[in-house]
Amino acid sequence: MIAGPYAAALLGQFGAEVIKVEAPGEGDGLRKWRKIHTDGTSLWWRSQNRNKKSVSLDLRREEARELVRKLVATADIVIENFRPGTLERWGLGWEVLSAIQPKLVLLRISGYGQTGPYRDRPGFAAVAECMGGLRHVTGFPDRPPVRAGISLGDSLASLYGTIGALVALHHVRTNGGRGQVVDMALYEAVFGVMESLVPEYGVCNYVRGRSGASLPGISPSNTYRCSDGSYVIIAGNSDAIFKRLMCAIGRQDLADDASLAHNDGRVRRNHELDSVISSWTERNALQQILDILQAADVPCGRVYTAQDICADPHFLARGMIERHELPDGTPIPLPGIVPKLSGTPGRSNWLGPDLGAHTKEVLASIGVDDEAFEHLRRLGVI
């Protein structure tokens, strides 16, 4: 409900025609996730599925699957987010689809990938984040592992999957190549961003663990409490920035200490440095700290809430808060589109649609006339 659909959303935000196939009746499960508007549809749905055309088809019916095969004949990319083997059981596997459209790119996102001993297991982002190594290093060392606050594994798989699909499409269009399968596993998307986790274990037998808000092996970088109860992020972890930080908080002695001139020396005294910085932040309010450190060119920042984001002048200046309306006229802010392209920027043309809003339009494009449409509707295919 997240990884595949979000990959399609990214493509749709930059101009792709995205046809989202949903089951008649209830539609995609995300329509009922988290905060639900008075019209019965989740706010997340309206955001994630903007620019998509909703087509309701019951893929348990052969008539519906035949319509999908006709749509595939004109498609560049097909994205699916099922457990391996589901498309094959429906007669919509790679061999079938690629025979219809030899240049097709099939992006397959699943928990564990299309091969391997775990391929048939159901997989959600929560499990993938554990298997990929992320959860073990997230949180404080004296407490259980925690989640990032969002389904990060899904979003990472979307990004990797989109990259893979575009690379495969580039091959088709520039080299006259055939299409191919992009096999994206949730746990591998998480594992792919785990930095030096494996090399450090393989060479040093070091198993990275949870370190709270600090950045292991890099000093000083942490979250510090302010006198007004707020928290500030301070990253003084390059040699020059460290000196500026120490001067800004009145510790010229530490700025001049030769043993702290480089990161390895600071790491050895990290606890001491954290204590020094904490004692300073605890005597000052957040805004005062930000003013002092920003004047000294020290990277720092507040911990933003959704309220902070929606009111922040930088977010607003860069168009990162878009203003739209729900079908009943209720205002709804949406995240702006990233990345920013100078020549062909993305845009939000419409919000996530009502279920089946584009079924008739899309099916007409493959030759389904009004009489045939009504016949399919009476059969419950659409």
Side-chain angles (χ1 to χ4, degrees):
M1 286 179 281
I2 303 175
Y6 186 49
L10 295 172
L11 297 173
Q13 289 168 15
F14 287 95
E17 180 189 27
V18 179
I19 298 170
K20 180 172 181 62
V21 177
E22 303 180 71
E26 293 294 329
D28 192 299
L30 195 74
R31 290 180 177 275
K32 300 298 181 184
W33 274 28
R34 295 194 58 80
K35 297 296 182 181
I36 309 298
H37 188 53
T38 54
D39 64 1
T41 301
S42 81
L43 300 176
W44 190 359
W45 168 268
R46 298 297 189 187
S47 177
Q48 176 166 286
N49 291 284
R50 61 185 121 169
N51 295 358
K52 296 184 184 180
K53 295 180 178 179
S54 173
V55 172
S56 60
L57 293 175
D58 185 352
L59 295 183
R60 296 169 298 181
R61 304 285 298 269
E62 174 55 29
E63 297 93 335
R65 297 193 291 266
E66 181 57 28
L67 292 171
V68 168
R69 287 188 279 267
K70 289 181 179 179
L71 288 170
V72 166
T74 62
D76 295 303
I77 300 171
V78 168
I79 299 174
E80 64 105 347
N81 206 167
F82 299 107
R83 208 185 305 190
T86 301
L87 284 191
E88 283 74 12
R89 288 194 298 274
W90 286 340
L92 298 172
W94 169 244
E95 290 74 15
V96 173
L97 299 186
S98 62
I100 296 169
Q101 169 56 290
K103 295 185 177 182
L104 182 72
V105 173
L106 175 60
L107 171 55
R108 313 194 74 167
I109 302 180
S110 60
Y112 303 94
Q114 302 298 310
T115 61
Y118 302 163
R119 70 182 293 271
D120 294 323
R121 294 181 181 179
F124 279 148
V127 179
E129 289 164 18
C130 293
M131 185 175 177
L134 179 63
R135 293 285 182 102
H136 184 70
V137 301
T138 305
F140 288 84
D142 59 342
R143 303 176 198 176
V146 298
R147 71 191 300 268
I150 58 170
S151 298
L152 187 59
D154 282 312
S155 297
L156 289 171
S158 300
L159 294 169
Y160 273 116
T162 301
I163 292 169
L166 292 175
V167 169
L169 191 60
H170 178 74
H171 171 68
V172 169
R173 292 187 171 178
T174 60
N175 300 312
R178 291 181 59 85
Q180 58 185 298
V181 174
V182 179
D183 180 1
M184 185 69 253
L186 294 181
Y187 86 94
E188 290 171 358
V190 175
F191 181 60
V193 299
M194 291 308 296
E195 301 175 350
S196 58
L197 187 80
V198 165
E200 289 173 358
Y201 169 71
V203 176
C204 307
N205 202 33
Y206 172 73
V207 177
R208 188 187 298 190
R210 294 182 291 285
S211 59
S214 66
L215 194 58
I218 302 172
S219 178
S221 182
N222 213 330
T223 302
Y224 304 93
R225 188 176 177 86
C226 311
S227 65
D228 57 5
S230 303
Y231 289 89
V232 63
I233 308 297
I234 301 175
N237 48 15
S238 81
D239 297 345
I241 292 173
F242 171 74
K243 285 181 177 293
R244 296 200 298 270
L245 171 59
M246 291 299 103
C247 292
I249 68 174
R251 294 302 303 264
Q252 186 69 46
D253 58 318
L254 296 177
D256 295 337
D257 189 330
S259 69
L260 299 174
H262 303 295
N263 182 67
D264 55 348
R266 295 194 294 273
V267 169
R268 286 191 287 270
R269 295 171 62 181
N270 185 64
H271 182 72
E272 173 192 349
L273 294 176
D274 266 346
S275 296
V276 167
I277 298 169
S278 292
S279 66
W280 179 74
T281 61
E282 289 170 356
R283 298 193 304 270
N284 295 278
L286 173 62
Q287 192 57 54
Q288 183 181 9
I289 292 169
L290 295 175
D291 291 342
I292 291 171
L293 296 186
Q294 286 167 2
D297 279 341
V298 174
C300 60
R302 69 176 72 242
V303 179
Y304 278 58
T305 65
Q307 184 178 19
D308 296 326
I309 289 170
C310 288
D312 185 87
H314 193 76
F315 274 87
L316 298 176
R318 287 183 55 80
M320 287 310 300
I321 305 297
E322 298 183 1
R323 305 293 177 181
H324 298 272
E325 287 187 356
L326 294 170
D328 64 1
T330 301
I332 178 173
L334 296 184
I337 294 172
V338 292
K340 306 292 186 184
L341 273 63
S342 62
T344 55
R347 57 183 296 177
S348 299
N349 297 313
W350 64 84
L351 301 184
D354 292 338
L355 177 60
H358 303 92
T359 303
K360 192 166 188 177
E361 169 196 333
V362 170
L363 296 188
S365 72
I366 54 172
V368 178
D369 60 21
D370 290 348
E371 182 179 353
F373 183 85
E374 286 303 315
H375 177 68
L376 291 169
R377 187 181 61 80
R378 287 193 298 271
L379 291 176
V381 174
I382 59 177

Short mmCIF file of all heavy atoms in Angstrom, two decimals, residues 38 83 86 97 167 190 213 263 288 311 318 324 354 357:
data_model
loop_
_atom_site.label_atom_id
_atom_site.label_comp_id
_atom_site.label_asym_id
_atom_site.label_seq_id
_atom_site.Cartn_x
_atom_site.Cartn_y
_atom_site.Cartn_z
N THR A 38 -14.09 13.64 6.60
CA THR A 38 -15.52 13.38 6.75
C THR A 38 -16.14 12.67 5.54
O THR A 38 -17.22 12.09 5.65
CB THR A 38 -16.27 14.71 6.98
OG1 THR A 38 -15.95 15.63 5.93
CG2 THR A 38 -15.89 15.32 8.32
N ARG A 83 3.09 -10.17 -3.11
CA ARG A 83 4.02 -11.24 -2.79
C ARG A 83 4.39 -11.98 -4.08
O ARG A 83 3.55 -12.12 -4.96
CB ARG A 83 3.36 -12.21 -1.81
CG ARG A 83 4.39 -12.93 -0.92
CD ARG A 83 3.77 -13.98 -0.04
NE ARG A 83 2.69 -13.48 0.80
CZ ARG A 83 2.14 -14.21 1.79
NH1 ARG A 83 2.58 -15.43 2.02
NH2 ARG A 83 1.16 -13.71 2.51
N THR A 86 2.06 -13.81 -7.20
CA THR A 86 0.66 -13.36 -7.30
C THR A 86 0.31 -13.03 -8.75
O THR A 86 -0.72 -13.48 -9.28
CB THR A 86 0.42 -12.15 -6.40
OG1 THR A 86 0.71 -12.50 -5.05
CG2 THR A 86 -1.03 -11.67 -6.50
N LEU A 97 3.42 -10.59 -19.81
CA LEU A 97 3.41 -9.14 -20.06
C LEU A 97 4.49 -8.73 -21.05
O LEU A 97 4.26 -7.88 -21.92
CB LEU A 97 3.60 -8.39 -18.74
CG LEU A 97 2.52 -8.62 -17.67
CD1 LEU A 97 2.76 -7.71 -16.48
CD2 LEU A 97 1.13 -8.43 -18.23
N VAL A 167 16.29 3.71 -14.95
CA VAL A 167 17.51 3.20 -15.59
C VAL A 167 17.15 2.18 -16.67
O VAL A 167 17.68 2.19 -17.78
CB VAL A 167 18.45 2.58 -14.54
CG1 VAL A 167 19.58 1.81 -15.22
CG2 VAL A 167 19.02 3.66 -13.63
N VAL A 190 16.54 -0.99 2.66
CA VAL A 190 17.04 -0.55 3.96
C VAL A 190 18.53 -0.84 4.09
O VAL A 190 19.33 0.03 4.47
CB VAL A 190 16.26 -1.24 5.09
CG1 VAL A 190 16.86 -0.88 6.45
CG2 VAL A 190 14.79 -0.86 5.04
N ALA A 213 20.80 9.94 20.29
CA ALA A 213 20.81 11.07 19.37
C ALA A 213 22.20 11.43 18.88
O ALA A 213 22.35 12.33 18.05
CB ALA A 213 20.17 12.29 20.03
N ASN A 263 39.03 14.87 14.44
CA ASN A 263 37.88 14.09 14.91
C ASN A 263 38.28 12.93 15.81
O ASN A 263 37.60 12.65 16.81
CB ASN A 263 37.09 13.56 13.71
CG ASN A 263 35.86 12.78 14.14
OD1 ASN A 263 34.93 13.32 14.71
ND2 ASN A 263 35.88 11.47 13.89
N GLN A 288 17.84 31.82 21.34
CA GLN A 288 19.13 32.46 21.63
C GLN A 288 20.28 31.58 21.15
O GLN A 288 21.26 32.06 20.56
CB GLN A 288 19.25 32.72 23.13
CG GLN A 288 20.53 33.45 23.54
CD GLN A 288 20.62 33.68 25.03
OE1 GLN A 288 19.82 33.15 25.80
NE2 GLN A 288 21.59 34.48 25.46
N ALA A 311 4.67 26.58 8.86
CA ALA A 311 4.83 28.03 9.07
C ALA A 311 6.22 28.53 8.73
O ALA A 311 6.47 29.73 8.78
CB ALA A 311 4.50 28.37 10.53
N ARG A 318 10.36 27.93 -0.92
CA ARG A 318 10.73 26.93 -1.91
C ARG A 318 9.54 26.10 -2.40
O ARG A 318 9.71 25.09 -3.07
CB ARG A 318 11.83 26.01 -1.35
CG ARG A 318 13.17 26.73 -1.27
CD ARG A 318 14.29 25.83 -0.79
NE ARG A 318 14.46 24.60 -1.56
CZ ARG A 318 15.10 24.52 -2.73
NH1 ARG A 318 15.61 25.61 -3.29
NH2 ARG A 318 15.23 23.36 -3.34
N HIS A 324 -4.15 23.09 -1.54
CA HIS A 324 -5.18 22.50 -2.39
C HIS A 324 -6.51 22.46 -1.64
O HIS A 324 -6.59 22.89 -0.48
CB HIS A 324 -4.77 21.09 -2.82
CG HIS A 324 -3.52 21.05 -3.64
ND1 HIS A 324 -3.52 21.18 -5.00
CD2 HIS A 324 -2.21 20.89 -3.27
CE1 HIS A 324 -2.27 21.11 -5.45
NE2 HIS A 324 -1.46 20.93 -4.42
N ASP A 354 -11.21 9.76 -6.34
CA ASP A 354 -12.22 8.83 -5.83
C ASP A 354 -12.07 7.50 -6.56
O ASP A 354 -11.55 7.42 -7.68
CB ASP A 354 -13.62 9.38 -6.06
CG ASP A 354 -13.91 10.61 -5.20
OD1 ASP A 354 -13.23 10.78 -4.17
OD2 ASP A 354 -14.80 11.39 -5.57
N ALA A 357 -12.71 6.73 -10.48
CA ALA A 357 -13.06 8.00 -11.11
C ALA A 357 -12.69 8.04 -12.59
O ALA A 357 -13.31 8.77 -13.38
CB ALA A 357 -12.38 9.15 -10.38
#
